[in-house]
Amino acid sequence: MTKKVRTRFAPSPTGYMHIGNLRTALFEYLIAKHENGDFLLRIEDTDQGRKVEGAVDIIYKTLKDVGLNWDEGPDIGGDYGPYVQSERLGMYKGYAEELVKTGHAHYCFCSEEDIEAQRKEAESLGISFKFQDPCKHLSKEEIQARLDAGEPYVVRQTIANVGETSFDDEVYGHIEFDGDLLDEQILLKSDGFPTYNFANIIDDHTMNISHVVRGNEYLSSTPKYNLIYDAYGWDRPTYVHVPPVMKDEHQKLSKRNGDASFQDLVAKGYLPAAIINYIALLGWAPPTEQEIYSLPELIEVFDVKRISKSPAIFDIDKLTWMNGIYLRNMDEDTYFETVRPYLERAIKGPYDLKEIAKIIQPRIDVLTQIEESVDFFDKPGDYDLEMYRHKKMKSTPESALTALKAVRTALENLEDWTEESVHETLLALPKEMGVKNGVVLWPVRTALSGKQFTPGGAIEIAWILGKDESLRRIDTAIARLEAALA
């Protein structure tokens, strides 16, 4: 009988969700769901010193915002709880002592000073440091006496005469290590808390986790984990080590370096669906040229064998492009509700925000571009004479003045102010004047907006502004041009 696929996302509550962490959660989710398996959420808070207030809520919200809904977790329970490590403390000590009894771990009474003295000696000799624990050679009587005396201790893994050891990884293939070079990691700290590595092993086994997904920096530690699995007689999980997400060719993306977290990207106007689509492609190659995927589509096509061994570089320009695709693919009502808060902040005047939303939809890539692009509806920007000069449109300040006077007369005589009537009127003028459309429309757009770049053209802007406001702005522009050219 095939074992059910069960994966877990096990973040530490230390702050915002960074992109590499979210990608790990996504890969774990896709591996499970592609096989109709279970996706668990577990909070790893054994390092109480790094715990940040409110971070657990951020984890919940982030996963929900991108649609990575978990089947078991601290908030919804499940058959393998509790799902918070600090609530599981009672079990780890027993597991550690079991390893001591079987000779796969030992009590270590060494102080930090003892360890540091060995480290300095190794440095002075120019050799790599590997702690040689003298406590391994204590007799049972000596150990018991020191325990009875209340001496502080840690439980440290015992590694001896291992020889060549190997394991298989879904991404990196068959990997071999010299087991005798492995350092003996601490399993249980002096405060009774398990280390991150030890708690992971116990929790993964007791929660029936089938696939462990983590960064490739853990490849070198995996043989140590395997020795523990083997010591208990447990099946090893399937390993999926993923390459890092890089800022550039040399630097990893990192919260410590101030690189954008998921929350930062959302605040900068990126959609959660676009972010999750983009990070799916960081280190994973889809089977076709398709790049835009819904989460159900990703579940359908995801294949762990297509994860790359090479680091993936985070490209904000590619994410921006993808975000623009998502915005343009929204239906009209969804788009309006998405952009409404930005429009309401930027525009206080009596304009139809739904119509403004329509003209910006084909032209906006990131939500935070909206306010700056539409603020001219309330007040046109400050422009100078040179803005009327446009080589491609064949517009000059002199031709602009002529055009604006003709436009003013035509629009003033327009009785029925609709988008169609404004469109017909403004496009009829270039033909009458014997000039190209840009000679007329560029000056009108400049006069109405005071900007070189606008989300809509002259016709759309004039119609939304209305007759009175359009004429007022054109009058102001004519006066400025006449004064400047006098």
Side-chain angles (χ1 to χ4, degrees):
M1 183 176 171
T2 305
K3 187 177 181 182
K4 186 175 186 180
V5 172
R6 286 171 59 84
T7 64
R8 75 338 185 233
F9 180 50
S12 299
T14 57
Y16 289 132
M17 182 83 76
H18 67 84
I19 294 304
N21 221 12
L22 183 56
R23 187 192 63 168
T24 298
L26 174 61
F27 284 1
E28 287 164 338
Y29 177 85
L30 295 176
I31 288 168
K33 295 306 166 186
H34 183 75
E35 300 292 342
N36 296 312
D38 297 329
F39 173 64
L40 284 65
L41 175 62
R42 186 172 77 218
I43 302 300
E44 303 202 337
D45 62 345
T46 53
D47 190 346
Q48 294 283 300
R50 293 180 62 221
K51 188 174 179 181
V52 173
E53 194 67 35
V56 172
D57 291 332
I58 290 173
I59 293 166
Y60 289 160
K61 185 174 187 317
T62 301
L63 295 179
K64 286 175 181 174
D65 283 350
V66 297
L68 303 187
N69 298 311
W70 50 99
D71 301 295
E72 301 169 27
D75 55 335
I76 58 175
D79 295 337
Y80 299 89
Y83 294 88
V84 178
Q85 278 188 341
S86 59
E87 296 172 15
R88 300 167 64 84
L89 286 179
M91 63 190 287
Y92 301 117
K93 192 168 190 289
Y95 277 106
E97 288 176 344
E98 186 179 334
L99 288 177
V100 172
K101 286 176 187 171
T102 59
H104 295 97
H106 60 274
Y107 296 107
C108 173
F109 302 93
C110 295
S111 66
E112 282 298 321
E113 289 76 15
D114 297 329
I115 298 168
E116 189 58 31
Q118 276 200 31
R119 189 190 314 277
K120 285 182 176 174
E121 184 180 356
E123 285 176 6
S124 68
L125 296 171
I127 57 176
S128 59
F129 170 67
K130 179 187 168 189
F131 181 56
Q132 304 295 330
D133 190 356
C135 298
K136 280 199 295 188
H137 309 297
L138 294 173
S139 67
K140 286 183 181 179
E141 294 74 22
E142 286 175 296
I143 291 169
Q144 193 58 53
R146 296 177 79 161
L147 291 173
D148 292 343
E151 277 192 49
Y153 68 88
V154 299
V155 175
R156 193 181 287 277
Q157 186 175 7
T158 301
I159 300 176
N161 303 317
V162 173
E164 281 295 317
T165 181
S166 65
F167 67 95
D168 293 312
D169 181 77
E170 292 294 290
V171 177
Y172 290 89
H174 187 70
I175 296 174
E176 297 184 350
F177 275 88
D178 182 350
D180 294 321
L181 295 178
L182 299 171
D183 64 307
E184 298 178 320
Q185 62 184 337
I186 292 173
L187 306 179
L188 203 69
K189 295 180 280 188
S190 57
D191 59 5
F193 273 71
T195 58
Y196 171 85
N197 295 326
F198 183 57
N200 249 301
I201 295 167
I202 304 304
D203 290 342
D204 286 344
H205 174 74
T206 55
M207 291 182 177
N208 279 346
I209 299 304
S210 64
H211 290 64
V212 169
V213 184
R214 58 189 174 213
N216 66 358
E217 67 270 23
Y218 288 98
L219 277 170
S220 59
S221 302
T222 300
K224 290 187 286 189
Y225 306 152
N226 286 338
L227 290 175
I228 294 174
Y229 278 106
D230 297 347
Y232 289 122
W234 296 343
D235 290 338
R236 300 175 182 181
T238 298
Y239 291 114
V240 183
H241 287 88
V242 296
V245 179
M246 306 290 284
K247 183 175 189 171
D248 52 41
E249 289 183 6
H250 307 291
Q251 292 179 292
K252 278 187 184 181
L253 273 186
S254 164
K255 281 191 287 190
R256 292 175 187 171
N257 294 337
D259 293 320
S261 65
F262 171 78
Q263 285 71 24
D264 292 330
L265 291 173
V266 171
K268 290 175 180 177
Y270 294 91
L271 301 169
I275 297 170
I276 207 73
N277 185 164
Y278 176 67
I279 67 171
L281 304 179
L282 287 175
W284 173 76
T288 67
E289 294 299 309
Q290 181 179 337
E291 291 188 287
I292 305 301
Y293 285 93
S294 66
L295 198 52
E297 287 173 329
L298 283 170
I299 291 170
E300 180 68 27
V301 302
F302 191 79
D303 180 356
V304 73
K305 298 295 186 186
R306 300 187 69 85
I307 296 175
S308 170
K309 296 181 179 71
S310 304
I313 295 178
F314 185 85
D315 182 350
I316 193 68
D317 293 332
K318 182 70 177 285
L319 173 59
T320 301
W321 167 82
M322 188 171 283
N323 200 70
I325 298 291
Y326 269 78
L327 289 171
R328 286 185 274 288
N329 286 346
M330 282 181 176
D331 65 78
E332 199 173 292
D333 290 339
T334 303
Y335 184 79
F336 179 62
E337 289 308 315
T338 302
V339 302
R340 186 212 287 261
Y342 297 88
L343 293 175
E344 288 176 342
R345 280 199 294 271
I347 301 171
K348 307 300 180 191
Y351 304 118
D352 188 332
L353 296 185
K354 276 200 167 182
E355 293 303 327
I356 295 174
K358 279 185 198 175
I359 68 170
I360 66 174
Q361 187 169 6
R363 301 169 172 94
I364 294 296
D365 290 323
V366 180
L367 294 172
T368 47
Q369 295 170 346
I370 291 172
E371 291 181 55
E372 188 180 355
S373 71
V374 301
D375 58 4
F376 68 86
F377 280 101
D378 271 4
K379 183 188 175 192
D382 292 326
Y383 56 90
D384 56 34
L385 201 63
E386 287 305 305
M387 279 181 63
Y388 287 101
R389 199 183 301 280
H390 196 296
K391 191 177 286 186
K392 187 179 176 184
M393 301 293 182
K394 304 206 180 303
S395 173
T396 65
E398 291 78 10
S399 69
L401 180 58
T402 302
L404 287 176
K405 285 180 177 179
V407 168
R408 205 238 178 264
T409 301
L411 292 182
E412 186 179 24
N413 293 330
L414 193 59
E415 293 181 8
D416 185 20
W417 191 273
T418 65
E419 188 172 10
E420 292 75 19
S421 63
V422 172
H423 183 273
E424 289 172 10
T425 302
L426 288 181
L427 284 186
L429 276 174
K431 291 178 183 175
E432 290 174 22
M433 297 169 67
V435 296
K436 291 192 173 183
N437 288 352
V439 175
V440 174
L441 297 182
W442 177 262
V444 175
R445 188 167 78 161
T446 304
L448 296 178
S449 68
K451 292 195 172 199
Q452 281 189 297
F453 305 103
T454 57
I459 295 166
E460 297 161 303
I461 294 169
W463 173 63
I464 292 171
L465 284 173
K467 184 174 182 178
D468 291 344
E469 181 63 17
S470 294
L471 291 176
R472 189 188 70 76
R473 294 188 184 193
I474 288 170
D475 283 340
T476 300
I478 289 171
R480 287 183 180 180
L481 279 165
E482 285 179 334
L485 296 170

